[in-house]
Amino acid sequence: MATVIIPTPLRKFTNNTAKLEIQADTIEKTVSELTHNFPDLKKHLLDEKGQIRSFVNIFVGNDDIRNLQQEKTHVKPDTIISIVPAIAGGSR
Amino acid sequence: MIIIDPIAKQVLLNDAIGAFPDECCGFLFGKEDSYGNRSITQVQVVVNAKKGDKRRRFAIAPLDYIRAEQFADEQQLQLLGIYHSHPNHPAIPSEHDRVAAQPFFSYVIVSVIDGKPHTLRSWRLNDQSQFEEENEVGSLRSEV
């Protein structure tokens, strides 16, 4: 099963679990399984159209899925998936 | 409540001075007790990855974020927040800061006026996604 690393700010929605094992063969199915198991995660990961939010990055190893096959990116049992919140801001 | 170790605080202040007139940014690591009190013991400086005007914007590269989570895991610390500077601007979060902010994290902002750190304040989103200031034991709201 692939390992999903939950970022610290979202761990309160996964019972404070940092790493989850998910049985799925694509990122799309992984996210679907995650939000099924932890419904409060959904609004933080997906927009109203069910697409991954623009300020949420999903990495397979060190690669952004936007540079792979997006949500259709294949996942292997030893894949490490990181959910990475966009960190940004500024004075004005 | 949030307490920042003096050495860690000096690291982020030095970063704010060195980056001026650009914004600096980095991570805050430490522990949170069962009452929600936070103790920041380590600061990690990262590159402001914002493409464009770094004088009023910052961004942290996703791979730096991944490494920060790994570091926290390895050191048995918690990734508790983010710091950044506001060059020639108050240490108050902007609407841009608020919209981009994550729940749970403490957002420490250092105001740097004419190259010198002026004020350091810490903020955190409440359940209505509005920033509330965190109290620090020490000199958080005083001039630094």
Side-chain angles (χ1 to χ4, degrees):
Chain A
M1 289 194 282
T3 303
V4 182
I5 299 175
I6 306 296
T8 303
L10 298 186
R11 287 178 195 166
K12 69 177 179 176
F13 307 116
T14 60
N15 303 325
N16 288 318
T17 305
K19 295 177 184 175
L20 294 164
E21 303 288 322
I22 300 284
Q23 181 80 54
D25 59 4
T26 64
I27 290 296
E28 189 173 40
K29 290 177 184 170
T30 301
V31 171
S32 174
E33 187 71 14
L34 260 181
T35 55
H36 175 75
N37 293 341
F38 302 100
D40 291 340
L41 262 184
K42 193 169 185 177
K43 69 175 182 179
H44 296 279
L45 298 183
L46 304 175
D47 63 19
E48 50 287 346
K49 293 178 182 172
Q51 309 267 305
I52 294 169
R53 289 188 177 279
S54 59
F55 52 80
V56 173
N57 305 295
I58 297 186
F59 274 63
V60 170
N62 286 332
D63 297 313
D64 190 332
I65 63 164
R66 295 187 185 95
N67 300 325
L68 300 171
Q69 287 81 47
Q70 310 256 21
E71 288 94 332
K72 304 295 182 193
T73 299
H74 190 65
V75 170
K76 297 177 192 166
D78 61 349
T79 300
I80 306 288
I81 301 164
S82 298
I83 298 172
V84 184
I87 305 293
S91 58
R92 50 194 182 276
Chain B
M1 184 183 75
I2 183 169
I3 302 170
I4 306 176
D5 173 88
I7 294 172
K9 187 184 282 186
Q10 197 57 52
V11 170
L12 73 86
L13 292 177
N14 288 345
D15 189 28
I17 295 165
F20 187 87
D22 290 344
E23 295 196 6
C24 68
C25 52
F27 295 105
L28 308 171
F29 301 93
K31 300 270 190 186
E32 183 182 62
D33 68 19
S34 56
Y35 299 103
N37 298 319
R38 294 180 166 188
S39 175
I40 304 300
T41 54
Q42 285 204 52
V43 160
Q44 197 172 78
V45 174
V46 293
V47 169
N48 180 355
K50 179 67 185 175
K51 292 173 183 167
D53 191 357
K54 294 181 185 179
R55 294 183 181 212
R56 60 188 190 97
R57 289 280 190 272
F58 81 95
I60 292 180
L63 287 176
D64 280 336
Y65 184 88
I66 290 172
R67 282 191 280 269
E69 291 278 13
Q70 287 170 343
F71 177 81
D73 190 36
E74 289 161 5
Q75 301 294 317
Q76 297 187 318
L77 294 170
Q78 287 176 280
L79 178 55
L80 290 174
I82 307 293
Y83 75 86
H84 72 285
S85 60
H86 280 183
N88 292 330
H89 214 73
I92 298 170
S94 66
E95 179 62 9
H96 190 71
D97 284 327
R98 190 189 69 80
V99 169
Q102 298 296 318
F104 178 81
F105 274 166
S106 293
Y107 283 83
V108 166
I109 302 177
V110 186
S111 169
V112 185
I113 307 297
D114 296 331
K116 295 178 182 169
H118 184 271
T119 313
L120 184 152
R121 298 170 74 174
S122 184
W123 306 82
R124 193 167 160 184
L125 285 184
N126 62 19
D127 290 339
Q128 288 73 47
S129 295
Q130 300 298 315
F131 270 117
E132 286 181 3
E133 187 164 9
E134 294 183 296
N135 292 321
E136 190 209 26
V137 172
S139 60
L140 194 71
R141 286 204 59 175
S142 60
E143 292 186 1
V144 289

